[in-house]
Amino acid sequence: MPVTIKSPEEIEKMRVAGRLAAEVLQMIGPHVQPGVTTGELDRICHDHIVNVQHAIPAPLNYHGFPRSICTSVNHQVCHGIPGERVLKKGDIVNIDITVIKDQYHGDTSKMFFVGEPSIQARRVTQVSHECMCRGIAIVKAGVRLGDIGHAIQTHAEQNGCSVVREYCGHGIGRQFHEEPQVLHFGQPGTGMELAPGMTLTIEPMINAGGRQVRLLPDDWTVVTRDHSLSAQWEHTILVTETGHEVLTQLPGDGL
Ligand code: MF3
Ligand code: CO
Ligand code: CO
């Protein structure tokens, strides 16, 4: 399927879906505490999305994914399956929320600290956040995908971290994952040019150690090969003529 350019009516629906996804992350924050299981966090998010937002949790049954959110802890990179794991002091966890409202998707994730993080955990979390922000900052019509990837990769590597290559950001709309692929590494001046009305995610996965990853036998959970910590943040972005609009950002929640 080619890249889709959203109409003003579709953009309004993307704004609604984006806001709902962001509100789930805000809602779940106070529940991320030592002693909670990732399965409990999944249940709380599921019930909020379905019963309060009257929306659909996009991950549930997506290519067979068995839960409504992804929870990726410590050296888990992405696509962690919520379950019996009990969060403990010092853990870092990415919670990734995607909702479908009125047929359109909003996709966002952030890192949470359980108790006090180690210096290294704080650092990889901060670097990954800065990487996402630097990628978002340059988004506007005419910029190329390689420019975004380069901005992210440069910042990660300047700070002694690495960029996961096997997973990337993506176009988003009526489909969860649309074209184009938004790589978090690359060369300036290469790749597709952004155009007004495109909606896409930027979601760099940044490792404190090497960039290599491995898939666990559950066929979903991605972990770092060297067991170094990994962190990820994600926003859904609208490309505009003069810049961009972050569709998954709540008012007052600065980047
Ligand atoms: N939300 C993830 C992303 O940012 C995708 C999760 S797919 C799932 O693209 F099946 F694992 F839920
Ligand atoms: Co995404
Ligand atoms: Co996501």
Side-chain angles (χ1 to χ4, degrees):
M1 218 180 63
V3 172
T4 59
I5 301 296
K6 275 72 179 180
S7 68
E9 294 73 27
E10 290 181 292
I11 289 169
E12 197 43 48
K13 291 181 181 185
M14 292 291 294
R15 285 194 183 102
V16 173
R19 177 170 50 77
L20 292 178
E23 285 174 353
V24 178
L25 279 183
Q26 186 178 59
M27 179 279 301
I28 201 63
H31 297 276
V32 184
Q33 297 288 344
V36 76
T37 67
T38 52
E40 283 162 359
L41 298 176
D42 174 70
R43 180 188 53 75
I44 296 165
C45 290
H46 172 94
D47 290 353
H48 185 83
I49 293 166
V50 171
N51 299 326
V52 178
Q53 298 185 331
H54 304 292
I56 300 167
L60 188 58
N61 300 319
Y62 181 76
H63 293 280
F65 191 79
R67 294 287 181 267
S68 295
I69 67 173
C70 297
T71 52
S72 305
V73 184
N74 296 341
H75 77 293
Q76 297 178 348
V77 172
C78 63
H79 304 166
I81 303 175
E84 299 306 301
R85 183 178 185 143
V86 179
L87 294 181
K88 60 177 202 314
K89 283 182 193 167
D91 284 342
I92 59 171
V93 56
N94 173 278
I95 299 184
D96 193 337
I97 304 290
T98 313
V99 306
I100 310 169
K101 182 70 171 182
D102 208 358
Q103 294 190 299
Y104 287 81
H105 290 71
D107 189 6
T108 183
S109 81
K110 67 178 285 191
M111 298 301 297
F112 293 90
F113 295 141
V114 185
E116 276 296 300
S118 67
I119 288 169
Q120 204 192 35
R122 202 185 286 281
R123 183 169 161 68
V124 69
T125 297
Q126 185 183 332
V127 170
S128 65
H129 187 257
E130 290 164 355
C131 284
M132 176 190 69
C133 291
R134 283 174 182 239
I136 292 172
I138 62 174
V139 171
K140 69 171 182 177
V143 163
R144 287 163 160 247
L145 287 175
D147 300 328
I148 297 172
H150 183 75
I152 292 168
Q153 180 181 10
T154 303
H155 188 69
E157 293 175 357
Q158 274 175 357
N159 285 280
C161 296
S162 65
V163 178
V164 172
R165 308 278 178 114
E166 289 80 357
Y167 303 87
C168 58
H170 49 92
I172 181 168
R174 284 173 74 113
Q175 307 294 323
F176 196 158
H177 295 110
E178 301 185 353
E179 288 182 49
Q181 293 195 4
V182 181
L183 303 182
H184 302 116
F185 58 93
Q187 293 306 318
T190 66
M192 178 186 295
E193 252 189 46
L194 300 182
M198 287 183 182
T199 47
L200 47 86
T201 73
I202 297 181
E203 50 180 303
M205 284 139 276
I206 304 299
N207 298 347
R211 67 173 177 84
Q212 291 79 13
V213 298
R214 192 165 65 79
L215 188 62
L216 292 190
D218 66 17
D219 265 353
W220 280 104
T221 311
V222 179
V223 299
T224 57
R225 264 191 194 271
D226 60 10
H227 281 219
S228 66
L229 292 172
S230 187
Q232 177 180 31
W233 298 73
E234 174 175 25
H235 273 307
T236 299
I237 314 292
L238 167 70
V239 181
T240 67
E241 201 66 66
T242 53
H244 56 268
E245 184 179 324
V246 182
L247 301 179
T248 42
Q249 185 162 43
L250 298 178
D253 189 26
L255 276 182

